[in-house]
């Protein structure tokens, strides 16, 4: 893609933040490209991050076909650096001999939705408010969210405070989707409690 000062500045800021997760980074190379132009999908950005560390190398290779949200270069870069952060944390734990314990992601409820602008706010159990963008909701599920819905989320620092990089609606046990045919003969699904 053509060079962009804003994109380069954002990448440099995110690269500097990686040092807080592993201070022994010897090199960081980032490649951003828009290799394909599809008529229906538009540009899908590909981001590759190569990190050189003492005793190893970490490669993050986010293919554009994996996320429809990668039509936005900043979202593609954010997701690639989030993956780099997780891999660096794992690398540091392995080097220290610490085993990783998988904890469930924190949960919250949807407090506010601004459907026309594709964003909203989550309220955590301790009363904090976390911003999220529609692209952060897994499987394009922003349109199905309702105020009060429970979600799991992954928090990261944003420019104006905490934000959720990933939001996943919580499916409660005892509910299942059933399908039926509507008047036009098409299948429709609805949730039924047991």
């Amino acid at each position: 893609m053509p060079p962009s000062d804003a994109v380069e500045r954002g990448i440099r800021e995110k690269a500097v933040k990686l040092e807080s997760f592993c201070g022994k980074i010897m090199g960081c190379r980032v490649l951003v490209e828009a290799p394909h132009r599809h008529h229906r999908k538009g540009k899908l950005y590909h981001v590759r991050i190569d990190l050189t560390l003492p005793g190893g190398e970490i490669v993050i290779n986010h293919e554009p076909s994996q996320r429809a949200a990668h039509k936005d270069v900043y979202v593609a870069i954010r997701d690639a650096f989030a993956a780099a952060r997780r891999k660096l944390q794992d690398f540091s734990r392995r080097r220290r001999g610490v085993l990783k314990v998988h904890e469930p992601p924190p949960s919250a409820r949807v407090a506010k939705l601004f459907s026309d602008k594709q964003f909203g706010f989550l309220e955590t159990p301790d009363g904090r408010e976390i911003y999220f963008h529609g692209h952060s909701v897994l499987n394009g599920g922003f349109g199905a969210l309702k105020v009060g819905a429970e979600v799991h989320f992954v928090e990261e620092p944003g420019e104006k405070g905490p934000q959720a990089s990933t939001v996943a609606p919580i499916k409660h046990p005892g509910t299942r989707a059933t399908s039926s045919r509507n008047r036009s003969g098409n299948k429709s699904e609805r949730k039924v409690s047991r």
Side-chain angles (χ1 to χ4, degrees):
M1 63 179 277
S4 163
D5 290 339
V7 169
E8 185 176 339
R9 193 170 34 256
I11 288 171
R12 288 185 184 279
E13 289 171 6
K14 290 183 183 310
V16 167
K17 287 181 184 177
L18 287 180
E19 289 182 340
S20 65
F21 300 103
C22 181
K24 299 179 181 184
I25 297 173
M26 297 164 42
C28 177
R29 182 172 179 262
V30 180
L31 171 70
V32 179
E33 62 181 347
H36 304 289
R37 179 126 181 115
H38 299 285
H39 294 290
R40 292 184 187 165
K41 294 184 181 177
K43 272 186 186 174
L44 294 176
Y45 293 92
H46 170 262
V47 180
R48 178 184 168 107
I49 303 173
D50 294 316
L51 296 169
T52 306
L53 304 156
E57 185 173 323
I58 295 175
V59 177
I60 290 78
N61 198 12
H62 271 245
E63 292 295 328
S65 59
Q66 292 176 351
R67 296 274 314 263
H70 289 178
K71 291 182 207 176
D72 181 329
V73 68
Y74 296 102
V75 173
I77 291 168
R78 178 200 70 195
D79 288 353
F81 272 93
R85 181 189 74 231
R86 290 188 298 272
K87 285 194 174 188
L88 273 174
Q89 289 170 326
D90 288 345
F91 179 85
S92 293
R93 277 190 285 269
R94 281 193 311 273
R95 297 284 289 185
R96 291 191 317 261
V98 176
L99 293 176
K100 183 176 179 180
V101 177
H102 289 279
E103 294 181 20
S107 62
R109 69 172 191 81
V110 177
K112 300 175 194 169
L113 281 174
F114 299 92
S115 299
D116 56 330
K117 295 182 180 175
Q118 292 282 306
F119 74 91
F121 290 91
L122 304 175
E123 183 179 347
T124 63
D126 61 358
R128 294 182 311 123
E129 197 170 72
I130 310 287
Y131 165 85
F132 71 95
H133 190 274
H135 292 305
S136 299
V137 182
L138 294 180
N139 301 320
F142 181 80
L145 282 181
K146 304 280 185 231
V147 171
E150 292 181 66
V151 298
H152 287 299
F153 69 99
V154 176
E155 183 178 341
E156 69 180 18
E159 291 178 17
K160 297 181 181 179
Q163 68 181 26
S165 63
T166 305
V167 176
I170 298 174
K171 295 180 182 175
H172 292 284
T175 60
R176 60 183 171 86
T178 61
S179 63
S180 60
R181 299 218 178 253
N182 60 21
R183 290 183 190 173
S184 64
N186 296 330
K187 271 190 169 180
S188 62
E189 291 192 0
R190 60 189 173 96
K191 286 187 180 176
V192 177
S193 294
R194 291 185 194 173

